[in-house]
Amino acid sequence: MASIPPVDEDDLQALRGLLRDAGLPDDVGEHRSTLVAVARDGAEVIGGVAVEVYDGHGLLRSLVVDPRFRSSGIGTGLVAAAEAAAGSHGLSGLSMLTETAAGFFLRLGYVAVARDELPGPVQESSEFTRLCPETAAAMTKPL
């Protein structure tokens, strides 16, 4: 069974720093039920991703890779880890919003949808209600 190993508070702080540096919301891990994975170069956190769980469906968010390590496959690996963990937790699919990475996610099998086509609890998340603008692309992928 695939899983995302637990991360500690130091990992979360490093991930939040990467998110801030990338201009992304840094509230990762604050949702009551969140799976978090980080990528490391030695002991240094160089990337991460989170899946917030909403009634059997996941909201993929907070994907970030340190600029020094982009285009090396780390982002793809983090998404694969998130998908595997979401599947092992019995989630039916993942949804997300993106302003800049729609092409990346299309290559990974996500499809663009109207925001109102996503599960209701996901639409009520902070990501949908206050963190991402209405212009962000909504995407989804069944698991």
Side-chain angles (χ1 to χ4, degrees):
M1 177 187 326
S3 65
I4 293 180
V7 296
D8 62 23
E9 190 58 35
D10 289 340
D11 293 334
L12 282 176
Q13 290 306 320
L15 179 53
R16 289 176 182 139
L18 287 172
L19 290 164
R20 280 190 299 275
D21 290 347
L24 297 170
D26 68 351
D27 63 337
V28 65
E30 293 180 8
H31 176 66
R32 61 179 159 59
S33 183
T34 305
L35 309 169
V36 179
V38 296
R40 290 184 171 79
D41 181 36
E44 180 186 10
V45 172
I46 59 167
V49 67
V51 175
E52 293 180 355
V53 179
Y54 293 93
D55 295 336
H57 194 84
L59 174 62
L60 181 71
R61 54 175 304 207
S62 304
L63 177 64
V64 66
V65 175
D66 183 303
R68 299 172 296 156
F69 296 91
R70 290 188 185 148
S71 299
S72 67
I74 291 171
T76 300
L78 285 165
V79 172
E83 291 172 351
S88 72
H89 280 79
L91 302 184
S92 62
L94 293 174
S95 298
M96 56 163 301
L97 293 174
T98 182
E99 293 181 73
T100 60
F104 171 78
F105 286 102
L106 286 169
R107 289 189 299 277
L108 298 180
Y110 288 76
V111 296
V113 296
R115 288 169 81 117
D116 62 2
E117 292 180 44
L118 298 177
V122 170
Q123 292 181 43
E124 295 168 8
S125 70
S126 63
E127 181 88 348
F128 275 70
T129 59
R130 61 183 178 82
L131 296 176
C132 280
E134 289 290 324
T135 56
M139 305 185 83
T140 193
K141 181 178 182 178
L143 297 177

